């Protein structure tokens, strides 16, 4: 392959602006006051009236590390042909709420295939991973159910606790000892963790968490969004990799990551099926997937199950990239998997980091509040199995080139790590 040619990045200034000719009625005074207090200082001050999570436009030779298709299955011929066949065959299916679907609908086949893949009895497909988490938690918890969430748990999991009207308690990230103390104080309930955390790539200390769950008489929900497809036998996820599936009550996952589609999924015992279908609002009040979408996702599951070589490649790339960045002084110790967080801290610093990467043809995803805590914004790099050695070399060279400009060893997370190391 010839050396990577980096084209100058186009800025988002070229994006079409909304038409200005229409008039709108005045907003509620309380909303205007909230905008003045909470949004405009950030928009006009920190962001300089630029939507900061959108950087430059990638050119044709850009290295894209801003997606979630970890095994690079988008466009796989088996998936495309299955979807085309479903689109061109006559059917009598109608668009309706998923609670009306009969067993012969392609969505039901997908639900059972996903449940079998992760080693569970039954499952449910929703419009998104967000809807899956909200819908499941809403049905298995209520105001009398304490919910214990890892402080780094995905926002949809917190929203699920809110939808259930349940008391939510945050425990320190990956700290089973504190979790045990909190349960002893507030009583048995539902423990919620991510298998691989979406902003940092940290892996859950799942076996230790399970020991606490079982000793305290709790249930546990594990969100496998960023490990389904990438970890475990046939990509069945972290629970399967650790051999603890039978100890986990509920597994959820976005199907927009390694499965590279647009849907969400959760497991549940078959005995809860009709309870869920009469109480999960996202399932009741959202339309079902279209048949060709379900068929394509089902085909993707089969492709992922047979993708051991891609998983091996992804893990090798992850080790290579993390090793190179660590050697250069980038503080990425908070994670270990294919998601790499470059946590510059304050938003202006992360914007500069992202823009320096963009300008050299390396595209990350900027995360800031509410996706992160205030002043803990980051540029997230997500690796995938199709990266070539030339592309990897380019990313590493770019990281080396910009290090003296962005000074990662001076980022707040690096300073905190040094203080903790000295204290220990």
């Amino acid at each position: 392959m010839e050396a990577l040619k980096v084209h100058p990045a186009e800025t988002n200034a070229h994006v079409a602006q909304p038409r200005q000719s229409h008039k709108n009625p005045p907003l509620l005074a309380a909303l205007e006051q909230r905008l003045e207090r909470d949004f405009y200082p950030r928009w006009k001050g920190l962001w300089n009236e630029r939507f900061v999570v959108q950087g430059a436009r990638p050119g044709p030779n850009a290295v894209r590390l801003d997606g979630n298709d970890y095994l690079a299955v988008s466009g796989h011929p088996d998936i495309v042909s299955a979807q085309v066949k479903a689109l061109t065959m006559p059917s009598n299916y109608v668009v309706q709420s998923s609670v009306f679907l009969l067993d012969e609908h392609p969505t039901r086949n997908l639900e059972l295939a996903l449940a079998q893949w992760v080693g569970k009895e039954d499952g449910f497909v929703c419009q998104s991973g967000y809807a899956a988490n909200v819908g499941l938690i809403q049905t298995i918890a209520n105001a009398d159910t304490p919910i214990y969430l890892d402080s780094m748990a995905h926002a949809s999991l917190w929203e699920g606790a809110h939808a259930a009207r349940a008391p939510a308690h945050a425990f320190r990230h990956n700290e089973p000892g504190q979790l045990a103390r909190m349960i002893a104080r507030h009583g048995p309930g539902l423990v919620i963790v991510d298998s691989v955390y979406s902003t940092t790539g940290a892996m859950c200390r799942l076996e230790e968490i399970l020991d606490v769950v079982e000793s305290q008489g709790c249930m546990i929900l594990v969100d496998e969004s960023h490990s389904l497809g990438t970890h475990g036998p046939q990509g069945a996820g972290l629970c399967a990799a650790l051999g603890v599936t039978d100890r986990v009550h509920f597994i959820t996952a976005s199907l927009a990551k390694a499965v590279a589609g647009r849907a969400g999924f959760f497991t549940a015992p078959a005995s809860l099926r009709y309870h869920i279908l009469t109480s999960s609002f996202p399932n009741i009040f959202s339309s079902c997937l279209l048949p060709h979408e379900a068929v394509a996702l089902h085909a993707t599951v089969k492709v992922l199950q047979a993708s051991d070589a891609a998983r091996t490649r992804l893990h090798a790339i992850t080790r290579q990239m993390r090793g190179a960045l660590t050697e250069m002084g980038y503080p990425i110790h908070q994670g270990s998997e294919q998601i790499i967080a470059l946590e510059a801290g304050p938003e202006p610093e992360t914007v500069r980091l992202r823009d320096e990467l963009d300008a050299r043809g390396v595209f990350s995803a900027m995360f800031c509040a509410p996706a992160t805590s205030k002043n803990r914004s980051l540029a997230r790099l997500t690796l995938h199995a199709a990266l070539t050695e030339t592309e990897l070399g380019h990313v590493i060279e770019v990281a080396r080139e910009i290090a003296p400009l962005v000074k990662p060893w001076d980022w707040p997370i690096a300073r905190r790590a040094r203080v903790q190391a000295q204290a220990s």
Side-chain angles (χ1 to χ4, degrees), residues 85-99:
K85 183 178 178 181
L87 281 166
T88 55
M89 287 186 63
S91 72
N92 60 353
Y93 300 123
V94 297
V95 180
Q96 58 187 171
S97 167
S98 60
V99 301

Side-chain angles (χ1 to χ4, degrees), residues 105-116 123 125 255 259 263-265 289 293-301:
H105 193 279
T107 295
R108 185 59 182 146
N109 293 332
L110 173 62
E111 290 176 339
L112 294 173
L114 287 163
Q116 183 179 28
V125 168
L255 302 183
V259 187
F265 169 71
L289 297 186
E293 295 175 314
V295 167
L297 289 167
H298 197 165
T300 306
V301 170

Side-chain angles (χ1 to χ4, degrees), residues 300-312:
T300 306
V301 170
K302 295 177 182 177
V303 169
L304 291 172
Q305 288 173 326
S307 295
D308 286 344
R311 277 183 282 278
T312 299

Side-chain angles (χ1 to χ4, degrees), residues 144-148 182-191 213 215-219:
D144 299 320
T145 311
I147 296 183
Y148 304 96
M182 294 183 74
I183 297 172
R185 186 180 314 125
H186 300 290
L190 174 66
V191 174
V213 166
S215 67
Q216 301 278 13
C218 292
M219 300 188 299

